[in-house]
Amino acid sequence: MAKEDKITPGNKGPEKDDSIVEISKTLLEQDPLVRTVNKVISDGVEQRASDILIEPLDEQVQIRYRIDGILYRYLMLPKQFQDGVLTRVKVM
């Protein structure tokens, strides 16, 4: 791939409509659920987690990291967020 063909923050790629990309990106960044899922993933990477587990429980959704073979609880979310979190992960 030539240097000009790489997708960088200033270069969205040859076949992208910049206005659509910017509008979509803005909407996604405003959604608290999307920000939460993005934070869970970025924190997992930062802490060097080998797995991120999203576990639906009776009244909550538990998110845990596996770090060096040990599971650590990271976050508990209300049950009402379960479908949104799972949908967001599927979209990624």
Side-chain angles (χ1 to χ4, degrees), residues 41-59:
I41 293 171
S42 64
D43 285 356
V45 169
E46 189 175 293
Q47 294 193 29
R48 306 180 70 78
S50 60
D51 298 306
I52 299 174
L53 292 87
I54 301 171
E55 301 171 295
L57 303 175
D58 290 335
E59 296 181 18

Side-chain angles (χ1 to χ4, degrees), residues 9-20:
N11 173 13
K12 302 290 186 217
E15 297 180 12
K16 299 272 185 181
D17 181 353
D18 287 338
S19 62
I20 294 173

Side-chain angles (χ1 to χ4, degrees), residues 9-75:
N11 173 13
K12 302 290 186 217
E15 297 180 12
K16 299 272 185 181
D17 181 353
D18 287 338
S19 62
I20 294 173
V21 171
E22 289 303 318
I23 290 170
S24 298
K25 185 176 178 184
T26 301
L27 288 174
L28 289 175
E29 289 173 350
Q30 291 175 355
D31 185 350
L33 185 63
V34 171
R35 285 197 312 261
T36 300
V37 172
N38 290 344
K39 178 85 169 129
V40 166
I41 293 171
S42 64
D43 285 356
V45 169
E46 189 175 293
Q47 294 193 29
R48 306 180 70 78
S50 60
D51 298 306
I52 299 174
L53 292 87
I54 301 171
E55 301 171 295
L57 303 175
D58 290 335
E59 296 181 18
Q60 295 180 318
V61 177
Q62 177 175 255
I63 299 176
R64 299 190 296 169
Y65 294 151
R66 185 183 318 274
I67 302 170
D68 295 329
I70 301 170
L71 288 174
Y72 296 92
R73 183 183 295 168
Y74 173 73
L75 181 65

Side-chain angles (χ1 to χ4, degrees), residues 54-57 60-61 78-87:
I54 301 171
E55 301 171 295
L57 303 175
Q60 295 180 318
V61 177
K79 187 74 168 178
Q80 67 194 35
F81 293 109
Q82 177 178 322
D83 291 340
V85 168
L86 296 177
T87 299

